[in-house]
Amino acid sequence: MTVRFMDVFTEWASSYDDTVTGQDPEYKEVFRRYDEILETVAEKAMSPVAEFGAGTGNLTQRLLARHEQVLAIEPSPEMRDILINKIPTLAVQDGHFLSFEAAEAKSFVSTYAFHHLTDEEKGQAVDLMAAILPADGKIVYADTMFVSETARLETIEEARNQGFDNLAEDLEREFYPLIPVMEQIFTSRGFDVTFTQYNHFVWLVEAEKMGE
């Protein structure tokens, strides 16, 4: 896998924090309840915790407030620079879902990142995490997902009708999954998984690895 959409992060790094606070009307609903989503992911994580797509450190800071061992994994140099400046003592790794080093972890977490993988790659990523996690270890993440392909297409049409062309293009370009697909990926690999919706776009996924 090559790291996709790196040009997007290069352009977005300096304004990302403004976007997540609702200052961009196109993405206001995507990031509604943002702080609550981050707090919930941090609360459900277990130490040692590894975070994929740490970005500018908004979830990372909340993880550090609750957990002693936090590893931040981020492929974008621009995002890593901001992250390191925010949290100079943080362990930061250049990597992504399919290329990382985490000798031990009781949980893997991410927010607004898993959709960069195709469905096949999502399965590969879960396999890599499952090989490290102990029984009762967790994968916890929040991301845009849809209950059906019809729901995805309707959301794209609605964005176009509102003049939110950038949002519509994002929804068409990236690999936002269907919940039934993610449920199959997790359950077929021995995880007990739940899905909780937080806004029109974002669902929180909590997948616990079951014992043998």
Side-chain angles (χ1 to χ4, degrees):
M1 169 193 169
T2 57
V3 180
R4 304 182 184 93
F5 314 119
M6 289 294 284
D7 56 335
V8 174
F9 294 113
T10 298
E11 296 173 6
W12 203 7
S14 62
S15 62
Y16 183 81
D17 286 348
D18 291 335
T19 301
V20 301
T21 56
Q23 296 185 37
D24 185 336
E26 287 200 50
Y27 294 89
K28 187 173 184 178
E29 175 62 18
V30 176
F31 292 104
R32 184 167 62 85
R33 302 176 70 184
Y34 182 67
D35 287 338
E36 182 182 352
I37 290 167
L38 298 189
E39 289 290 350
T40 304
V41 172
E43 179 183 349
K44 290 182 177 294
M46 298 187 296
S47 184
V49 54
E51 178 192 3
F52 291 107
T56 60
N58 296 325
L59 173 59
T60 317
Q61 291 174 317
R62 289 165 170 84
L63 291 170
L64 287 167
R66 291 176 176 271
H67 305 285
E68 292 185 1
Q69 295 177 265
V70 178
L71 170 65
I73 301 167
E74 172 55 53
S76 163
E78 292 79 14
M79 291 285 197
R80 284 200 308 273
D81 286 346
I82 294 172
L83 178 62
I84 292 168
N85 284 332
K86 273 188 181 180
I87 317 170
T89 59
L90 179 68
V92 181
Q93 185 180 124
D94 177 5
H96 53 78
F97 288 103
L98 298 179
S99 179
F100 64 93
E101 294 182 8
E104 60 177 23
K106 292 194 73 174
S107 62
F108 289 96
V109 302
S110 73
T111 51
Y112 298 86
F114 212 33
H115 60 268
H116 299 313
L117 304 177
T118 65
D119 288 350
E120 180 180 359
E121 289 167 346
K122 290 181 180 73
Q124 294 170 2
V126 172
D127 285 336
L128 290 173
M129 289 182 270
I132 296 169
L133 289 173
D136 83 359
K138 290 182 179 181
I139 298 171
V140 184
Y141 73 93
D143 203 0
T144 292
M145 289 183 283
F146 298 97
V147 296
S148 67
E149 179 64 8
T150 298
R152 187 183 75 87
L153 294 175
E154 288 176 347
T155 300
I156 293 171
E157 182 179 4
E158 181 180 348
R160 293 286 187 197
N161 291 338
Q162 291 177 296
F164 293 167
D165 291 336
N166 290 329
L167 174 59
E169 289 171 9
D170 283 347
L171 295 174
E172 290 175 328
R173 178 180 62 237
E174 301 204 35
F175 308 109
Y176 298 100
L178 305 184
I179 287 176
V181 172
M182 294 312 306
E183 184 173 25
Q184 192 278 330
I185 286 175
F186 281 113
T187 57
S188 66
R189 290 163 170 81
F191 285 83
D192 182 33
V193 61
T194 60
F195 300 86
T196 305
Q197 188 169 18
Y198 274 75
N199 60 44
H200 181 76
F201 295 90
V202 175
W203 294 70
L204 187 140
V205 179
E206 182 177 12
E208 181 178 349
K209 182 178 176 182
M210 307 305 290
E212 297 296 334

